[in-house]
């Protein structure tokens, strides 16, 4: 079962099992999310096999902030990218703009 779920589905920086990834993230104070503004950039990098560069586009947030965003309808899970997408404005200088949450 381990081989089927984990070994046969391994991709760099991605988990094929949503529950496994969520349990892993809960071991820490937060998780990484992808700003919706960077979705296409992340997808393009991942498609080119540039997983390390794609991973650099993720933004860490606390579990408390995650729940606030989710309750406000500003975050969703993307099955294709295997990441949460956050729908808050983002820029590289200031990060996520969470002032409207």
């Amino acid at each position: 079962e381990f081989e089927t779920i984990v070994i046969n589905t391994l991709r760099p920086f991605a988990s094929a099992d949503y529950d496994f990834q969520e349990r892993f993230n809960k071991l820490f104070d937060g998780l990484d999310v992808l700003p919706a503004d960077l979705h296409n950039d992340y997808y393009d990098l991942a498609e080119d096999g540039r997983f390390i560069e794609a991973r650099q586009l993720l933004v860490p947030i606390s579990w408390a902030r995650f729940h606030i965003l989710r309750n406000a309808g500003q975050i969703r899970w993307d099955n294709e990218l295997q990441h949460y997408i956050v729908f808050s404005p983002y820029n590289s200088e200031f990060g996520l703009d969470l002032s409207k949450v």
Side-chain angles (χ1 to χ4, degrees):
E1 182 178 27
F2 175 80
E3 185 173 324
T4 300
I5 293 172
V6 179
I7 302 298
N8 293 339
T9 60
L10 284 179
R11 282 186 22 209
F13 304 106
S15 171
D17 180 357
Y18 169 78
D19 291 330
F20 174 79
Q21 184 166 343
E22 187 166 332
R23 286 191 309 260
F24 179 83
N25 288 334
K26 285 184 179 180
L27 293 174
F28 304 95
D29 181 36
L31 70 159
D32 292 333
V33 296
L34 178 64
D37 296 341
L38 301 176
H39 180 274
N40 291 340
D41 295 334
Y42 185 96
Y43 182 84
D44 291 343
L45 289 168
E47 280 293 301
D48 288 342
R50 297 163 58 192
F51 298 107
I52 293 173
E53 290 174 66
R55 181 112 176 105
Q56 292 174 345
L57 299 177
L58 301 176
V59 176
I61 61 172
S62 69
W63 275 106
R65 179 62 67 187
F66 169 81
H67 290 292
I68 291 168
L69 289 165
R70 189 175 63 181
N71 290 339
Q74 293 185 343
I75 199 163
R76 72 171 172 81
W77 178 254
D78 185 301
N79 282 323
E80 185 175 4
L81 298 181
Q82 296 290 300
H83 285 293
Y84 284 104
I85 308 297
V86 61
F87 295 91
S88 294
Y90 174 84
N91 78 45
S92 60
E93 185 177 349
F94 298 107
L96 285 173
D97 178 2
L98 301 173
S99 63
K100 295 179 176 83
V101 180

